[in-house]
Amino acid sequence: MINGQALGGVSKMRYGLCRMSFNGCEVIAVYNALIYAGAARPLPEIAVYMEKFRMLMGVFGCSPYKIGRALRHFGADQERVRSAENAEAFIVTFWTKIPFLSSLHTVFCVRKNNGIIVYNRYNNCGEPQLCQNIEEVTGKHRPVAVYTIYRDKNKDISGE
């Protein structure tokens, strides 16, 4: 799983006009979700496919409403939902501060007994973060888009 998009080699990779450290959170969320779903693909392959969904030449990352297309394309069983309330694993996109006056951030999350593990929660944090609920994940902002991710129980998932 990738954490801290401004850290390591992933931070130098390009997405659109910018580096992934600036606008790659959707690509990274899809990458992490594909690992969970048992459909892992190389990050550059995901980025190239998702280029067709970039906003303003990638300056604003990828359209959060097209994440489901990318997941389907790479073979992940997913569903766009209104809430992550009942999801074991999900991707959520949310405003980081004031809607339309701040940036969007997209993360992949897995619900565990002790809370929600959030991957790539912050640019400069190389470890997954534990949150107690979805409101803590999104900073009490209403989610823009939510996708439930289903795991293929028949596939071996490395790194878990």
Side-chain angles (χ1 to χ4, degrees), residues 6-19:
L7 304 173
V10 71
S11 69
K12 295 170 182 65
M13 295 176 76
R14 305 289 297 188
Y15 183 69
L17 294 176
C18 304
R19 296 188 187 276

Side-chain angles (χ1 to χ4, degrees), residues 79-86 91-93 134 142-148:
E79 176 183 15
R80 185 159 167 216
V81 295
R82 291 187 182 270
S83 166
E85 192 173 305
N86 298 318
I91 289 177
V92 61
T93 300
I134 189 68
R142 189 172 154 260
V144 173
V146 181
Y147 297 87
T148 297

Side-chain angles (χ1 to χ4, degrees), residues 1-138:
M1 299 284 194
I2 295 175
N3 287 290
Q5 68 191 66
L7 304 173
V10 71
S11 69
K12 295 170 182 65
M13 295 176 76
R14 305 289 297 188
Y15 183 69
L17 294 176
C18 304
R19 296 188 187 276
M20 284 247 199
S21 61
F22 178 72
N23 66 348
C25 61
E26 292 90 4
V27 174
I28 292 167
V30 168
Y31 173 86
N32 288 341
L34 290 173
I35 290 173
Y36 175 87
R41 305 300 303 170
L43 185 64
E45 184 180 336
I46 296 166
V48 167
Y49 179 78
M50 291 181 74
E51 283 272 331
K52 63 177 93 175
F53 308 127
R54 65 186 181 193
M55 297 189 307
L56 190 64
M57 295 185 286
V59 172
F60 294 121
C62 173
S63 170
Y65 304 109
K66 303 294 184 181
I67 291 172
R69 266 195 198 170
L71 291 164
R72 273 191 307 279
H73 174 80
F74 291 110
D77 189 10
Q78 56 77 40
E79 176 183 15
R80 185 159 167 216
V81 295
R82 291 187 182 270
S83 166
E85 192 173 305
N86 298 318
E88 180 180 314
F90 57 94
I91 289 177
V92 61
T93 300
F94 54 92
W95 293 101
T96 57
K97 293 182 183 154
I98 299 170
F100 301 105
L101 298 177
S102 65
S103 60
L104 289 172
H105 190 50
T106 303
V107 295
F108 172 68
C109 305
V110 177
R111 193 178 308 275
K112 299 288 185 182
N113 291 336
N114 60 340
I116 299 171
I117 299 173
V118 184
Y119 296 91
N120 195 38
R121 179 134 189 245
Y122 302 112
N123 273 8
N124 59 356
C125 182
E127 298 294 323
Q129 300 291 298
L130 181 66
C131 294
Q132 296 308 306
N133 52 48
I134 189 68
E135 290 78 19
E136 188 178 341
V137 173
T138 64

